[in-house]
Amino acid sequence: MPGFELFGDEERKEVNDVLNTGILMRYGFDGPRKGIWKAKELEQAICQTFGCQYAQLTSSGTAALSTALAALGVGAGDEVIMPTFTFVASFEAVLSVGAIPVLVDVDDTLTLDPEAVRSAITPRTKCIMPVHMCGSMADLDPLLTIARDNSISLLEDACQSIGGTYQGKALGTLGDAGTFSFDFVKMITCGEGGVVMTNRRDLYEKSDAYTDHGHDHLGVDRGADLHPFIGYNYRISELHAAVGLAQIRKLGQFLEIQKRNHAALKAHLEAIPQVSFRRVPAAGVDSCSFISWFLPEARQTEAVVEKLKAQGILAGNFYWYQNNWHYIRKWQHLKQAASLFPLSAAQEKALQQLEHAQYPASDALLSRCISTAVSLAWTPEQMEEKGQKLAAAIKEVVG
Ligand SMILES: *Cc1c(COP(=O)(O)O)cnc(C)c1O
């Protein structure tokens, strides 16, 4: 997945453009910047590449989620439905705007189960937040229908699935808004960064101001800008945007390599009859950044993990069930509402209920699932060796 694996002269050139003017900020300084506007250029490139009307860069993917939620008007007491399998950023963003994360089961797509979402809707539900985990996607059609039927918004967290599509459209562009992360290990990196994508002008205008202290950006004098509402500083810098600009131009190449490596590695796993794979919705095209596969039983999966660990080849194979970052089981800090500052009573109550919440459907999937990351840097020989060793470890366990 990570674009940093192919960091090179293109990135250095873009960064040097910025260093040569010394204008590291994305706004203002029109004269001294000598026509260098990397953040603006990257936003245009995002709109063109992914086919959305508007893009607002942010300082991180988490900031992009917080911004999108704020622009959607999600706040105190509102419930946001999100999956049990995601990155901690999802609930961080929800809590940051004062809202309540409502965690529901995933299905064999490893993303939100539409039936579980339907059951979790209450009069306080304001937003559904599918997370397109590990390169592939949620079945968006039923989720969009549920959102429409209940007059609530849908925010796509596509941070991990840059380059995947659904019904021919880029992931992150089908909901009211969608986000990417450009942190260091994502498909396109800025070092740190993120983006809110939307086709709604109102959401874009709100995101634009919100990420810059509420500045309306209407005049030529930044100091004279008005502030129609309270914002924060979630700005990206020109240096970070410059890296992303070089990376987005190479995205087609990244995805091509990734697809090739994905197919070659997957062939090793497909040869084992006991191995099955995550479901990619019929309307979707996987970005191929991971291969997510299942064994019939949890204890077999654990045994494979132990074998890979013993052989020193576990790196790049993620057993999410035991992972501290990505699955609800280990989110003790969330269940204990361990916040540095007091949360609202409604938030605290909802989080404490998580301590006793059971997710047997998610457990049954995640305890049997390993995601193998697809590298852009593998040589054909390295890939062959990886595939053979992984397959051998699995066969030793499943017989
Ligand atoms: C990386 C990631 C984020 C947050 O992105 P940052 O840029 O690291 O803040 C959000 N959601 C998911 C699913 C991610 O993988």
Side-chain angles (χ1 to χ4, degrees):
M1 165 160 86
F4 80 75
E5 292 178 316
L6 297 179
F7 187 96
D9 288 342
E10 302 87 348
E11 285 78 0
R12 277 185 281 276
K13 188 254 166 208
E14 295 299 322
V15 172
N16 277 327
D17 285 351
V18 177
L19 292 177
N20 287 337
T21 66
I23 305 303
L24 311 186
M25 186 180 182
R26 69 160 298 177
Y27 297 115
F29 304 92
D30 294 26
R33 71 190 313 134
K34 303 198 177 87
I36 305 285
W37 299 90
K38 297 300 180 189
K40 272 192 193 173
E41 239 189 292
L42 179 53
E43 284 167 350
Q44 282 162 7
I46 288 167
C47 290
Q48 276 162 16
T49 306
F50 301 103
C52 56
Q53 293 274 320
Y54 308 102
Q56 178 62 45
L57 286 167
T58 57
S59 50
S60 71
T62 312
L65 288 170
S66 291
T67 299
L69 288 167
L72 288 165
V74 176
D78 293 334
E79 294 176 354
V80 178
I81 297 178
M82 53 165 272
T84 53
F85 174 51
T86 177
F87 180 52
V88 290
S90 306
F91 61 73
E92 290 168 359
V94 172
L95 292 171
S96 80
V97 295
I100 297 166
V102 174
L103 282 86
V104 310
D105 273 322
V106 295
D107 62 18
D108 58 349
T109 64
L110 298 180
T111 67
L112 279 182
D113 175 356
E115 279 318 306
V117 171
R118 214 183 291 277
S119 314
I121 301 267
T122 75
R124 291 176 304 280
T125 309
K126 194 81 173 267
C127 180
I128 302 173
M129 188 162 84
V131 185
H132 304 305
M133 285 298 278
C134 308
S136 184
M137 81 280 323
D139 204 356
L140 282 168
D141 227 13
L143 294 173
L144 286 163
T145 303
I146 297 169
R148 204 173 317 117
D149 289 350
N150 291 278
S151 305
I152 54 183
S153 47
L154 187 141
L155 167 60
E156 289 174 81
D157 178 346
C159 288
Q160 284 196 14
S161 296
I162 299 174
T165 64
Y166 185 86
Q167 293 176 344
K169 294 179 183 154
L171 297 178
T173 67
L174 290 105
D176 293 278
T179 63
F180 289 155
S181 162
F182 301 129
D183 79 20
F184 194 54
V185 295
K186 296 305 204 286
M187 186 78 230
I188 291 175
T189 187
C190 290
E192 299 285 358
V195 68
V196 179
M197 295 175 292
T198 182
N199 294 313
R200 282 177 50 182
R201 184 158 187 91
D202 63 320
L203 294 183
Y204 166 67
E205 285 176 353
K206 285 173 182 166
S207 299
D208 171 61
Y210 189 74
T211 50
D212 186 24
H213 303 294
H215 275 276
D216 64 7
H217 297 149
L218 291 178
V220 284
D221 175 8
R222 183 171 165 76
D225 275 353
L226 297 177
H227 303 92
F229 50 78
I230 298 165
Y232 289 92
N233 178 0
Y234 289 151
R235 292 186 306 253
I236 196 165
S237 83
E238 283 288 278
L239 288 171
H240 292 89
V243 177
L245 193 54
Q247 289 257 305
I248 198 171
R249 291 179 185 142
K250 300 198 279 193
L251 177 64
Q253 180 197 337
F254 292 173
L255 290 170
E256 212 172 286
I257 298 171
Q258 201 161 260
K259 191 168 280 183
R260 203 161 58 227
N261 290 355
H262 186 275
L265 190 64
K266 193 174 176 189
H268 288 276
L269 296 172
E270 279 171 334
I272 308 170
Q274 292 91 340
V275 171
S276 59
F277 297 91
R278 98 186 278 175
R279 178 166 60 87
V280 177
V285 178
D286 191 343
S287 77
C288 291
S289 52
F290 288 86
I291 302 168
S292 296
W293 48 279
F294 303 98
L295 288 180
E297 293 172 25
R299 64 178 174 81
Q300 297 169 320
T301 316
E302 277 164 38
V304 168
V305 170
E306 288 312 314
K307 261 192 204 304
L308 297 177
K309 206 182 280 174
Q311 293 174 28
I313 54 168
L314 184 64
N317 293 286
F318 298 93
Y319 185 42
W320 306 116
Y321 194 61
Q322 304 282 15
N323 182 290
N324 287 341
W325 288 30
H326 291 279
Y327 189 53
I328 186 171
R329 244 165 51 97
K330 299 279 180 87
W331 292 340
Q332 276 319 112
H333 64 315
L334 179 70
K335 298 176 196 178
Q336 288 162 4
S339 172
L340 289 181
F341 55 87
L343 297 175
S344 74
Q347 285 176 316
E348 282 208 359
K349 186 163 161 245
L351 297 185
Q352 279 155 5
Q353 282 169 355
L354 286 179
E355 187 75 89
H356 307 288
Q358 298 289 324
Y359 295 96
S362 300
D363 286 343
L365 288 158
L366 271 303
S367 62
R368 298 185 296 107
C369 177
I370 292 177
S371 295
T372 303
V374 175
S375 168
L376 299 175
W378 289 333
T379 64
E381 295 74 30
Q382 284 171 325
M383 200 156 48
E384 196 51 32
E385 191 189 333
K386 260 195 183 300
Q388 279 174 8
K389 284 189 171 164
L390 181 58
I394 299 169
K395 282 180 199 156
E396 276 178 46
V397 170
V398 297

